[in-house]
Amino acid sequence: MKLSLDKKHEDFRDEVRTFLKENLPAELAEAGRLNTSSFSEPQHNLPWLKILNEKGWAAPHWPKEYGGTGWDEMQKYIFASECARAGTPSLSPMGLQMVGPCIMGYGTEEQKAFYLPRILAGEDYWCQGYSEPGSGSDLASLQMKAVSDGDDYILNGSKIWTTQAHHANRMFCLVRTSSDGKPQQGITFLLLDMKTPGIRVEPIITIAGEHEVNQVFFDDVRVPKSGRLGEEDDGWTVAKYLLEFERGGGSSAGLEAALERVLVMAHAEPAGGGTQLASDPAFARRYADTKIALESIVITEKRVTAALASGGNPGPASSMLKTARTETLQRIDELALEAAGLYGNVSQMAARQPGANIEPVGPAHSLTAMPRYLNNRAATIYGGSNEVQRNVMAKLLLRL
Ligand SMILES: Cc1cc2nc3c(=O)[nH]c(=O)nc-3n(C[C@H](O)[C@H](O)[C@H](O)COP(=O)(O)OP(=O)(O)OC[C@H]3O[C@@H](n4cnc5c(N)ncnc54)[C@H](O)[C@@H]3O)c2cc1C
């Protein structure tokens, strides 16, 4: 979105641009550009987090007292937008956007003092243990048991689709501490150490050939009760709070950068010759529709970010945002694949595998078109499927 900035924000944008120019190493920018998953691998996002943290810019959306920047909404937008343009590696949202705000909201003073600085410094890398085989959309049906034993809980069961669990040293998870009452009752929210004996992480390879998600098995895993966030049997309250940050947090700056890349691709020489895709009226119409959808997301996003930043509850707006963003993301991926043409074929994916001795062909941006398209099919499923988000909107907005 073209912004007309006042002097303060223009100066801020220039400051961010200069910082990125001077501090974003070329190899991290390259890794950010080639990333095709929902966020980068820790080998790339942790060094970038360290650089940001040294500058005090790791968590723009956190309150200042916990290490936030104190920026206004426009500054946060400008920062996200400049990072997306520069191709910075995308930071893991699990600590900064998800469990961090929950620890601020529900943690004890000891938990805040211990965990929050470790998230900023990248000393802790978190994963989310919500879903189980058979409990995804109907999350409250989860069965992983936590039995009280003195100062500990003993965990048995399994979590699935756990993104980057193979890299994480900590997990925030939901466990069942009681089977009495409604399914939502009897759930407890725990913070645990992934190195605890009895935890086993098994990979699940995605359709794009990548190892991003896992199944995690728990066999008599002893977790101290000091790792509980909120009250026993009241974890559902914390879980719902976190989901609003998961769905409402982040920004569409990455989508805007991706759509700009599509335009560059559409103006490129097509594989095998012929006219540029940009001159095709049908493509131009789909591009324009997508751009309009994206602009309306930016406006909703500002309202949600403002509500979250002022400690408010964005309510159904976070479901609207999650649905609109992920569906627009998929539209952009479709345009990118179309623009990559023959260069977007599946064999390009093989060239991206570590150690592959295959030279990719065609322009650099076409290399990521197919894996992004495949990976992002999951975007309308994770974080609560879009069908379920529509149920939330129907209930809360339309009162159906
Ligand atoms: C790539 C990826 C990464 C993920 N990462 C994590 C993670 O890090 N941590 C974590 O805990 N989970 C993670 N998930 C799990 C994700 O949250 C669940 O997949 C999601 O909530 C859907 O649950 P499910 O897979 O069990 O599908 P189901 O709930 O079985 O749904 C199957 C289909 O039925 C539809 N459906 C279900 N209920 C309704 C309803 N009431 N009304 C209308 N339609 C309905 C769904 O929309 C879906 O299309 C991830 C998933 C993916 C794909």
Side-chain angles (χ1 to χ4, degrees):
M1 189 157 78
K2 285 267 176 301
L3 298 169
S4 55
L5 299 176
D6 59 20
K7 175 86 174 71
K8 170 187 157 186
H9 291 113
E10 222 172 70
D11 289 349
F12 176 74
R13 184 198 56 199
D14 293 345
E15 186 190 349
V16 174
R17 281 190 183 164
T18 307
F19 171 77
L20 291 171
K21 207 163 152 220
E22 290 172 357
N23 293 280
L24 175 64
E27 65 276 15
L28 291 188
E30 171 78 349
R33 201 176 53 73
L34 288 178
N35 175 53
T36 58
S37 301
S38 49
F39 54 94
S40 298
E41 291 280 299
Q43 76 200 80
H44 302 128
N45 65 30
L46 283 177
W48 180 232
L49 175 65
K50 187 167 182 282
I51 293 168
L52 288 177
N53 194 36
E54 275 162 14
K55 175 81 176 162
W57 287 1
H61 50 287
W62 281 19
K64 212 162 183 328
E65 58 177 306
Y66 296 120
T69 52
W71 291 339
D72 62 29
E73 292 315 309
M74 182 56 89
Q75 285 173 306
K76 288 179 204 162
Y77 179 78
I78 291 170
F79 179 68
S81 182
E82 292 302 323
C83 285
R85 273 164 193 269
T88 60
S90 41
L91 302 179
S92 166
M94 301 283 176
L96 288 164
Q97 271 168 236
M98 291 160 69
V99 79
C102 277
I103 293 171
M104 290 172 212
Y106 290 90
T108 61
E109 290 311 312
E110 290 76 26
Q111 286 172 326
K112 288 182 204 172
F114 180 73
Y115 289 114
L116 297 177
R118 295 173 65 87
I119 293 175
L120 290 177
E123 287 166 34
D124 283 342
Y125 201 76
W126 289 86
C127 64
Q128 177 187 32
Y130 273 25
S131 307
E132 295 180 7
S135 300
S137 302
D138 183 15
L139 188 58
S141 68
L142 64 93
Q143 292 300 322
M144 189 159 109
K145 267 212 160 57
V147 176
S148 173
D149 185 39
D151 290 339
D152 299 334
Y153 292 110
I154 299 176
L155 273 51
N156 278 289
S158 166
K159 294 289 173 183
I160 197 163
W161 308 119
T162 326
T163 304
Q164 293 201 2
H166 54 304
H167 297 311
N169 66 327
R170 303 226 176 244
M171 173 190 274
F172 56 93
C173 72
L174 297 176
V175 294
R176 183 153 298 286
T177 35
S178 164
S179 302
D180 297 338
K182 289 198 296 186
Q184 285 82 358
Q185 294 161 348
I187 291 174
T188 297
F189 196 110
L190 287 183
L191 311 175
L192 60 84
D193 185 338
M194 289 292 283
K195 301 238 160 46
T196 316
I199 298 179
R200 186 163 51 89
V201 179
E202 294 286 340
I204 300 173
I205 304 302
T206 65
I207 192 172
E210 293 176 2
H211 178 193
E212 187 183 331
V213 288
N214 302 274
Q215 183 163 5
V216 186
F217 297 90
F218 293 77
D219 189 9
D220 284 335
V221 176
R222 205 166 256 283
V223 176
K225 286 184 179 165
S226 57
R228 194 180 65 219
L229 203 57
E231 297 302 314
E232 185 170 289
D233 296 341
D234 194 29
W236 192 246
T237 313
V238 189
K240 281 195 305 183
Y241 184 73
L242 185 140
L243 283 175
E244 274 168 19
F245 283 95
E246 180 177 4
R247 291 170 192 156
S251 91
S252 57
L255 295 185
E256 292 183 300
L259 194 57
E260 272 177 33
R261 277 197 302 272
V262 167
L263 202 56
V264 174
M265 288 162 78
H267 279 101
E269 191 69 29
T275 52
Q276 293 167 337
L277 191 60
S279 59
D280 173 357
F283 178 85
R285 186 170 46 78
R286 282 199 300 282
Y287 178 88
D289 283 348
T290 310
K291 198 158 173 62
I292 292 165
L294 192 45
E295 298 218 351
S296 72
I297 291 172
V298 174
I299 294 163
T300 314
E301 203 165 71
K302 291 218 174 81
R303 280 174 36 201
V304 171
T305 320
L308 289 172
S310 59
N313 179 328
S318 60
S319 293
M320 284 167 60
L321 205 46
K322 196 269 165 176
T323 308
R325 263 188 202 149
T326 51
E327 288 171 10
T328 304
L329 171 67
Q330 292 181 348
R331 284 164 76 175
I332 295 172
D333 287 334
E334 283 163 20
L335 293 172
L337 205 52
E338 199 177 337
L342 293 176
Y343 294 130
N345 70 41
V346 180
S347 70
Q348 293 279 75
M349 282 161 56
R352 296 178 63 252
Q353 296 306 315
N357 222 355
I358 308 167
E359 270 303 306
V361 288
H365 42 239
S366 64
L367 192 60
T368 51
M370 178 61 88
R372 278 202 178 121
Y373 171 84
L374 293 174
N375 273 328
N376 288 335
R377 302 315 298 165
T380 47
I381 300 171
Y382 58 64
S385 78
N386 286 18
E387 289 79 12
V388 170
Q389 301 314 309
R390 286 193 163 86
N391 288 349
V392 173
M393 290 185 256
K395 205 167 142 195
L396 296 179
L397 285 175
L398 307 176
R399 305 201 191 287
L400 295 176

